[in-house]
Amino acid sequence: MTAVRQTLLLAQWQFRRHSVFMPLLVVVQIAIAVATVVGYGLLVGDPSPEVALFLATGAPTITLITVGLVMAPQLLAQAKTEGSLDWMRTLPVARASFLVSDLLVWTVVALPGMVLGIVAGVLRFGVDLSVRPWIVGAAVLISLTSAAVGYAMASLLPPVVAQLMTQMIIFLVLLFSPVSYPASRLPEWLQTAHQYLPIEPMAQIMRAGLAGAAFTVPGRSLVVLGLWCAAAVAGALAALRRRA
């Protein structure tokens, strides 16, 4: 059996394993996307065109980050606790296939909320988007990086600590990350920190992909995000192999 077939069969098994609550996961992340648009809209009232673009393009980014950095590690921590992850490791399948199949599942789960978040932002704020053709690749990169970081975190940390970390992450992403507002509003030390974290580059890539006429992606952000993606995938693979 080839590695590709093993990966697809594992992804199919994961979809069936989560089939009971997978629809609920999709509904929850759609609700997060729409609630982000509506909630921020209530806070800012009647925003300027630039602020409206930040809010409309921030919701899909938050959705992708939430699925990868919150939902994925929580379910992986649960799998560690109940022992299903240890059982999967007994299968004669390459560790890379485990990781790729899980990342594929979480990427697919994140897409409906991202799309509806964009629709909600356009309808709520009446913005005109200029979507770039590479937006699909950008969304996959953001989702892959988020899920890989979440997977690595849940693989390396004890389950309880990993679940507590996810609660802190969603709090930091919603309130203290330059996703739905410019980085210039943050304290200088936090602006500097975000230059080395993956969240701001994710927001910049999504913003430029959806509103290319108004925003661009700094080359440094692409490098930072690429390094985080590579490091997270390598870390998750190392954790899976070390515990085999």
Side-chain angles (χ1 to χ4, degrees):
M1 185 181 295
T2 65
V4 174
R5 180 169 171 75
Q6 287 179 343
T7 302
L8 293 177
L9 287 175
L10 277 172
Q12 184 183 16
W13 185 83
Q14 289 285 42
F15 274 116
R16 289 184 176 179
R17 175 170 170 260
H18 297 307
S19 60
V20 174
F21 56 87
M22 189 68 78
L24 180 60
L25 285 178
V26 174
V27 169
V28 168
Q29 53 100 6
I30 290 174
I32 290 174
V34 176
T36 300
V37 171
V38 175
Y40 279 135
L42 293 174
L43 285 174
V44 301
D46 187 16
S48 66
E50 182 185 10
V51 173
L53 274 178
F54 268 93
L55 294 173
T57 58
T61 309
I62 289 174
T63 300
L64 294 177
I65 293 174
T66 301
V67 171
L69 284 177
V70 178
M71 292 184 179
Q74 285 184 346
L75 289 178
L76 184 62
Q78 180 184 351
K80 290 172 66 178
T81 302
E82 66 188 17
S84 59
L85 183 62
D86 290 334
W87 176 81
M88 288 185 64
R89 287 193 178 109
T90 65
L91 299 176
V93 178
R95 294 296 180 261
S97 295
F98 283 114
L99 180 61
V100 174
S101 63
D102 272 358
L103 296 183
L104 176 63
V105 168
W106 294 117
T107 299
V108 171
V109 169
L111 292 181
M114 188 200 78
V115 173
L116 288 181
I118 296 170
V119 173
V122 171
L123 293 177
R124 169 62 180 84
F125 300 111
V127 296
D128 293 324
L129 299 180
S130 48
V131 181
R132 297 303 189 229
W134 45 265
I135 185 60
V136 175
V140 171
L141 177 62
I142 295 170
S143 180
L144 174 63
T145 305
S146 299
V149 172
Y151 202 96
M153 180 176 66
S155 298
L156 296 170
L157 297 176
V160 174
V161 178
Q163 291 182 345
L164 289 174
M165 286 291 293
T166 62
Q167 304 303 316
M168 182 181 296
I169 287 172
I170 190 62
F171 178 71
L172 293 174
V173 169
L174 287 174
L175 297 180
F176 300 104
S177 297
V179 176
S180 297
Y181 55 82
S184 57
R185 297 185 183 180
L186 293 171
E188 188 173 347
W189 67 269
L190 195 49
Q191 293 182 39
T192 303
H194 275 295
Q195 291 177 3
Y196 300 94
L197 294 173
I199 297 174
E200 184 178 16
M202 290 176 183
Q204 290 172 329
I205 290 174
M206 178 63 72
R207 206 176 292 138
L210 292 176
F215 300 104
T216 59
V217 187
R220 185 180 187 284
S221 297
L222 292 173
V223 174
V224 171
L225 188 57
L227 290 175
W228 269 95
C229 184
V233 170
L237 280 175
L240 285 172
R241 287 167 178 158
R242 179 172 62 86
R243 290 167 179 253

